[in-house]
Amino acid sequence: GQQVMQIPQYQHVQEGEDFTTYCNSSTTLSNIQWYKQRPGGHPVFLIQLVKSGEVKKQKRLTFQFGEAKKNSSLHITATQTTDVGTYFCAGRNTGNQFYFGTGTSLTVIP
Amino acid sequence: KAGVTQTPRYLIKTRGQQVTLSCSPISGHRSVSWYQQTPGQGLQFLFEYFSETQRNKGNFPGRFSGRQFSNSRSEMNVSTLELGDSALYLCASRSRGAVGELFFGEGSRLTVL
C-alpha cells in the first residue's frame, strides 16, 4: 500500500540553528500538504504544494516539492522557540486520500 | 466561524466495551475524515465521509466504523475495545475549495484499560 515516510523522527536544535524534515512517498502524489502540531494541540495546515519542483516560502519556512512529485522537504531557517512542535507532511493521491507521514518532532533549545 | 468540534474530549473505557465519538465539522464543510494518532505512528487514516457516503477507508479492522448524518456531523464507533485502541482520535473537515486543507478538531483522547 501507499506509504509516506518522514525523517528524522526527532530533532533537537539550538535556537538559531536551521532545521529540515524530509518526506518520501512510495508513489507519485497529486499534491502534498504540510501541517504543524504544537504539543497538546491538533494539526494546523501550513501549506500545499502542487507542481513538480515547486518551492514556496513563508517567512523563515521554505517548502519544496520534488521533480518526481514523490518527495518534499520543509526547511526552517534560524529556528525560534515558537517553532517547537511536530511537523507532518500529508501526501494526497489521485484517489483524493491523504497519507500522513510519521512526523518530525522538533525541540528548540533556548 | 466555529471550528471543528469533537466530543467527548477525554474518555476511559475497559477492554471489550464500545465507544462512540462525535464530530461536528465547520459549517458548510461536507467532508469529514477520521484519524488515529499514537506516539511514533503519526496519523493513521480511518475513513472519510462526504454527503453521508463513505468515500475512502483505511486499513483498520471492522471494529472501527463510522457514519455521517445529513447535517454533515459524523460519528465513529469502535466495538470490542482493545488496549491498543488507546489513542487520540482526530476528526478533520474539508471544504471543496482549491486547496482543500484539513481543519482538525482538538481530538478525543481514548484510554482503554
Side-chain angles (χ1 to χ4, degrees):
Chain A
Q2 179 151 13
Q3 288 188 334
V4 177
M5 306 302 293
Q6 199 172 343
I7 57 169
Q9 190 173 358
Y10 302 96
Q11 184 81 62
H12 292 70
V13 299
Q14 289 287 143
E15 189 172 16
E17 290 182 337
D18 291 356
F19 159 78
T20 305
T21 173
Y22 301 90
C23 186
N24 291 286
S25 169
S26 57
T27 59
T28 302
L29 302 168
S30 59
N31 60 54
I32 195 159
Q33 297 182 348
W34 284 90
Y35 291 79
K36 177 183 178 181
Q37 185 175 21
R38 293 183 185 274
H42 58 278
V44 174
F45 173 80
L46 293 176
I47 207 160
Q48 173 170 284
L49 304 170
V50 179
K51 300 176 184 176
S52 169
E54 188 170 14
V55 177
K56 286 188 175 180
K57 291 191 176 185
Q58 287 180 349
K59 297 182 180 178
R60 294 177 294 103
L61 278 62
T62 302
F63 304 83
Q64 290 188 313
F65 200 9
E67 294 291 338
K69 300 183 75 173
K70 295 177 74 173
N71 57 73
S72 181
S73 65
L74 158 59
H75 179 82
I76 302 178
T77 303
T79 55
Q80 301 175 357
T81 54
T82 53
D83 296 325
V84 165
T86 301
Y87 293 85
F88 292 97
C89 61
R92 192 151 68 177
N93 63 9
T94 52
N96 230 17
Q97 183 171 331
F98 284 97
Y99 291 89
F100 276 81
T102 47
T104 296
S105 175
L106 173 63
T107 299
V108 179
I109 305 163
Chain B
K1 198 183 233 186
V4 178
T5 304
Q6 289 188 246
T7 58
R9 291 290 312 279
Y10 304 91
L11 64 168
I12 299 173
K13 294 284 187 180
T14 56
R15 280 180 297 174
Q17 288 187 310
Q18 73 160 9
V19 66
T20 299
L21 308 178
S22 178
C23 172
S24 293
I26 291 173
S27 177
H29 287 191
R30 294 160 65 188
S31 168
V32 173
S33 52
W34 289 88
Y35 296 84
Q36 181 195 65
Q37 185 173 30
T38 54
Q41 291 292 318
L43 282 82
Q44 302 288 313
F45 172 74
L46 282 156
F47 24 67
E48 180 184 17
Y49 288 88
F50 181 82
S51 293
E52 302 178 68
T53 301
Q54 187 180 88
R55 290 207 300 187
N56 286 301
K57 190 176 189 304
N59 293 325
F60 277 82
R63 300 185 296 107
F64 292 81
S65 62
R67 59 178 174 168
Q68 185 180 34
F69 302 95
S70 58
N71 61 357
S72 293
R73 189 177 70 85
S74 177
E75 288 182 348
M76 67 162 282
N77 183 277
V78 187
S79 62
T80 320
L81 285 166
E82 301 177 358
L83 295 179
D85 297 333
S86 295
L88 179 67
Y89 290 88
L90 290 161
C91 163
S93 74
R94 180 162 63 95
S95 69
R96 297 197 75 181
V99 176
E101 70 265 36
L102 298 172
F103 293 85
F104 284 88
E106 298 289 342
S108 293
R109 184 164 296 280
L110 170 66
T111 301
V112 182
L113 302 177

